Amino acid sequence: MELLNKCWNEKGGKSNTTNNTDYEMGYVCMKNPKRNIIPFIILFLIHTGLLGYSFYKRKNKKQLFTLLMSNIGFAYLLEFFVLNLFKAYKYKPRVMKKDFFDNILGAILSQAIFVPFTAVFSTALKLGWIWKLLGGLYFSLIELLFLRLKVYKHYWWKTVYTLILIPIYFKISDFWNILLSKKNPFIRFISLFLMIMVTEANILFLIASTRKIRFGFGRYHSWSEHFIIVPLYAISLSFFSTLSFLKRNNWTSKLRVLVMTIGLDQTFKMRKLVKEKFHVVDYFTVRILLIFLYGKYRDLVYGVRKTVEIEDFEDESLTKIECDLE
């Protein structure tokens, strides 16, 4: 009761336990914006613990990281249609001032942490269908709780969709991991693409939140337009970067990606699809660092390609053998 009284007093009212029911006091307390983030923080700690345990249990941590980034990529692609385009629901963590950014931040917490971390945990521990169905029930209950706490809102989405899709998502994670183990070329390519796309999307979100860049149509670029165009920009850049790094991670590949990125940015500027406030030094610093990171992603997925010299004592000659060091 003291906590409820404190919440009431913080809102500028007077504590009056005789005229206000516990429900009314609780409602006032939950309207405190600072309290909206608490459920997100609790889930962040829980699912980070699950991910940490997954990496502890599995020896092939490189493959597990690739799987994690792939799972996040799948979630981002789904979120592009469900949230960005068709406005299925809305998150309200009340961390950022602009509603659009606050909504996207909530989506990032959900689709880049809560669900993918749990999917990796399910795959790493080789949990069966019963656990996957329980995972769907778990996230459905969380969704209902978030609705009750008013930190999340449905438009046309239904909780039953979550109940059905989560187990399927967990099974896709298992399937993807098996194909990564078999070094399937197509799965490797898509995995590298998703890793780059996720990184690009997150960086663009951070830059946009500082008002350094905004995509859109016409003279005035709305944030609604921005979050529709940004994923398309990230997908285009990621696809070309993946093709460039497909064979090797060398200076030629890096230069090719840099030139393509500059060309894509200039095309958007010429067509007035983007407004940005970058200093040249800042732009090239961020771009070059990202390109080096994408090269590391390539080595993570495909292995580090080197030339090894082996001395042939019988012929007294050197034979060069090109191999992948996984």
Side-chain angles (χ1 to χ4, degrees), residues 149-163:
L149 295 176
K150 301 185 184 300
V151 298
Y152 174 72
K153 179 180 179 180
H154 279 171
Y155 291 117
W156 57 264
W157 188 262
K158 297 179 186 292
T159 303
V160 67
Y161 301 158
T162 302
L163 183 65

Side-chain angles (χ1 to χ4, degrees), residues 149-216:
L149 295 176
K150 301 185 184 300
V151 298
Y152 174 72
K153 179 180 179 180
H154 279 171
Y155 291 117
W156 57 264
W157 188 262
K158 297 179 186 292
T159 303
V160 67
Y161 301 158
T162 302
L163 183 65
I164 295 171
L165 291 175
I166 289 294
I168 296 173
Y169 177 76
F170 287 176
K171 191 61 182 178
I172 291 174
S173 176
D174 293 347
F175 176 70
W176 204 263
N177 189 56
I178 292 172
L179 293 178
L180 281 173
S181 299
K182 294 180 179 181
K183 297 179 172 57
N184 182 283
F186 177 75
I187 298 302
R188 280 179 154 188
F189 178 87
I190 299 299
S191 295
L192 179 58
F193 162 76
L194 291 172
M195 293 170 78
I196 295 174
M197 185 197 73
V198 166
T199 305
E200 197 68 37
N202 289 340
I203 291 296
L204 285 169
F205 174 76
L206 289 174
I207 294 173
S209 66
T210 61
R211 308 297 194 271
K212 295 290 185 182
I213 192 170
R214 186 188 293 199
F215 291 85

Side-chain angles (χ1 to χ4, degrees), residues 255-266:
L255 182 60
R256 190 184 300 125
V257 174
L258 180 60
V259 171
M260 187 281 303
T261 304
I262 295 172
L264 184 63
D265 289 340
Q266 291 302 315

